Amino acid sequence: MASKRAASTLAYRCTECGWTSTRWVGRCGECQAWGTVAERGGAPARAVSSSVPLDKAVPIGDVPTDKARRRKTSIAELDRVLGDGVVPGAVVLLAGEPGVGKSTLVKILSGYEQATEGDFTINGTPHRFANSREAEHEGVVLIHQEFNLAEDLTIAQNIFLGHEKQKGLFLDDRTMNAAAKAAMQRVGLHADPETKVRKLIVAEKQLVEIAKAVSRNARLLVMDEPTATLTPTETERLFALIAQLKAE
């Protein structure tokens, strides 16, 4: 009986290495392959990505482990990846094996980490952000794989955290709730802005992060592995939202 229950619980399997899971994930937890996890007996779930409004996919190549070669290769690789730039309205996928620097790159772009050398330009002006607030001022906002939300604050309080609106000496909760509601409607989050974030499911928390970015007039919205913890249906909704933001 125990084996039958285990078989029915492990409903998803990687078609590449055979790794099993109790839920669908975008990337295999064993071989780290993308889009290979499917229901037992079903086709790989990579078909879910068919609705992504993608303009360009940029792979980052292998980087040597030797420090001297790694530094030289990393700089050349990042220059190749970013050399063509990102045009307004474009959706760009940054792909690569674990450890090649995808997360590090997006953290440098959004001010969470400092580059050892080099810079990048926005509208022709070179930039090296000292922190995330400088990046946000220029319209560059990162949504982390691990959401950067305060669980015990409300949705509205999270959206305006660090950017609170005041009325005299006091916080203007009415204005913030109204503005948060407008941002939430724009991204398709149908909830009370005074709801505590800890009461939301993962997909709704991601929408709070996107609503936060929208409220701060993001010109470059960077998402670090946004589908890693989403179900196929939630992933499709995210892709639809990306298409909507792209059209705007």
Side-chain angles (χ1 to χ4, degrees), residues 5-248:
R5 283 198 297 271
S8 61
T9 301
L10 298 173
Y12 298 91
R13 178 178 178 275
C14 175
T15 57
E16 295 291 332
C17 70
W19 176 77
T20 54
S21 173
T22 58
R23 62 187 178 87
W24 183 87
V25 290
R27 185 172 68 180
C28 174
E30 181 65 28
C31 69
Q32 302 297 308
W34 282 98
T36 59
V37 178
E39 291 189 43
R40 284 177 174 269
R46 59 165 54 97
V48 171
S49 64
S50 61
S51 62
V52 181
L54 194 63
D55 292 288
K56 180 169 62 173
V58 184
I60 295 183
D62 294 332
V63 178
T65 55
D66 174 77
K67 286 187 177 180
R69 292 178 59 227
R70 182 182 180 88
R71 181 181 179 86
K72 182 177 180 180
T73 305
S74 297
I75 294 170
E77 188 67 11
L78 293 180
D79 184 61
R80 181 188 64 79
V81 168
L82 296 176
D84 294 336
V86 179
V87 299
V91 177
V92 178
L93 169 67
L94 189 63
E97 294 295 325
V100 298
K102 302 184 299 298
S103 293
T104 301
L105 171 59
V106 298
K107 287 177 181 177
I108 290 172
L109 288 176
S110 53
Y112 287 91
E113 290 191 13
Q114 302 301 305
T116 53
E117 63 180 85
D119 53 34
F120 54 91
T121 62
I122 299 177
N123 293 333
T125 304
H127 285 277
R128 291 191 69 175
F129 299 131
N131 52 56
S132 60
R133 186 175 285 273
E134 285 189 8
E136 287 182 4
H137 181 72
E138 294 296 329
V140 182
V141 180
L142 169 64
I143 297 179
H144 299 265
Q145 183 178 358
E146 300 294 333
F147 300 138
N148 191 21
L149 298 171
E151 294 281 320
D152 289 321
L153 296 184
T154 68
I155 295 174
Q157 288 169 337
N158 269 279
I159 288 176
F160 286 97
L161 191 60
H163 298 75
E164 291 82 0
K165 296 183 181 295
Q166 289 184 272
K167 192 172 185 179
L169 297 176
F170 302 96
L171 293 177
D172 191 352
D173 290 321
R174 178 178 296 181
T175 298
M176 286 191 289
N177 284 336
K181 186 71 173 179
M184 291 161 61
Q185 289 176 342
R186 186 176 171 187
V187 302
L189 177 56
H190 306 292
D192 188 331
E194 295 188 84
T195 301
K196 295 289 180 69
V197 165
R198 56 181 162 78
K199 295 183 178 180
L200 304 177
I201 63 174
V202 171
E204 290 173 329
K205 291 179 181 180
Q206 186 176 63
L207 291 179
V208 173
E209 288 279 25
I210 298 175
K212 185 198 303 184
V214 166
S215 72
R216 296 177 187 178
N217 299 315
R219 293 193 295 163
L220 177 60
L221 179 58
V222 185
M223 300 183 186
D224 189 2
E225 298 198 25
T227 64
T229 58
L230 301 183
T231 66
T233 299
E234 291 167 346
T235 299
E236 289 290 355
R237 289 174 182 166
L238 173 63
F239 292 162
L241 175 57
I242 292 174
Q244 174 190 319
L245 295 175
K246 172 183 168 68
E248 294 177 0

